[in-house]
Amino acid sequence: MDKKKKEVPCPICDKTGVPVETLTVEQMVKEELVDKVSVDDHWLCMSEECEVSYYTGSGTKFNKEDIKVPLWFKKDADPKYACYCNNITEEQVIDAVANKGLGNMRDIIVSINGKARIRCKTNNPTGKRCTKVFSEAIKKGMDIKNKGERI
Ligand SMILES: [Zn+2]
């Protein structure tokens, strides 16, 4: 039962989140709360309905309002970012795919921002690459485009 990293459930919804590096948490929480970030392992609660963002096993807990950006997987996320490094929303990706015929992450980012930056470690709330969420948005755009062509 003992794994390398002990799983810690969210103090509110009791579901186990994903581990996130302290560096990422420090970048994400609002300035006035940075001092509350401890050296303990941090977890990000992935429950759509739960108010919690980061938490630790030692009682530290941040709500989704305590961080600088909306978490895309929480309900009512506004805007819903597909790429946190370039501030691109799911809506913009869907538009680029469905209406401008783009289908590649880099092309979409460049078409919107002029250049592509990769800063997932400090800009994405998970500290991981934005690629997965971005791909899902591309897929949604493709679905809309394909349906449109069939009419
Ligand atoms: Zn939770």
Side-chain angles (χ1 to χ4, degrees):
M1 193 180 140
D2 266 347
K3 285 182 190 153
K4 199 168 151 223
K5 195 167 215 169
K6 194 176 169 290
E7 292 196 347
V8 181
C10 170
I12 301 299
C13 69
D14 210 36
K15 286 185 190 133
T16 299
V18 295
V20 177
E21 284 183 43
T22 303
L23 168 77
T24 303
V25 179
E26 283 171 344
Q27 298 293 328
M28 282 296 136
V29 298
K30 290 180 176 165
E31 300 292 339
E32 64 269 28
L33 297 168
V34 171
D35 290 346
K36 280 183 69 189
V37 179
S38 66
V39 291
D40 291 322
D41 289 341
H42 282 79
W43 299 76
L44 176 63
C45 173
M46 300 296 288
S47 305
E48 192 187 339
E49 305 280 335
C50 186
E51 292 295 309
V52 174
S53 57
Y54 301 109
Y55 63 91
T56 67
S58 56
T60 304
K61 168 172 83 65
F62 297 103
N63 284 339
K64 59 185 184 184
E65 292 81 13
D66 293 336
I67 63 172
K68 294 173 192 160
V69 289
L71 293 167
W72 80 92
F73 52 86
K74 297 285 188 192
K75 77 169 185 226
D76 307 329
D78 182 30
K80 198 173 169 182
Y81 283 115
C83 174
Y84 285 87
C85 314
N86 299 283
N87 292 324
I88 291 175
T89 64
E90 182 188 73
E91 211 176 318
Q92 287 178 296
V93 176
I94 292 173
D95 175 63
V97 175
N99 300 324
K100 298 185 186 117
L102 300 172
N104 163 288
M105 180 168 174
R106 200 187 160 81
D107 292 347
I108 294 167
I109 293 172
V110 171
S111 84
I112 296 167
N113 274 357
K115 60 180 179 201
R117 304 183 300 189
I118 297 173
R119 295 182 185 168
C120 309
K121 197 160 182 93
T122 52
N123 284 40
N124 189 296
T126 64
K128 306 234 162 57
R129 301 291 301 270
C130 304
T131 323
K132 188 166 171 268
V133 178
F134 207 98
S135 304
E136 282 164 16
I138 291 177
K139 213 185 291 166
K140 284 184 195 174
M142 291 286 184
D143 285 348
I144 291 169
K145 190 182 165 195
N146 293 339
K147 272 180 202 143
E149 281 174 355
R150 245 181 269 141
I151 293 168

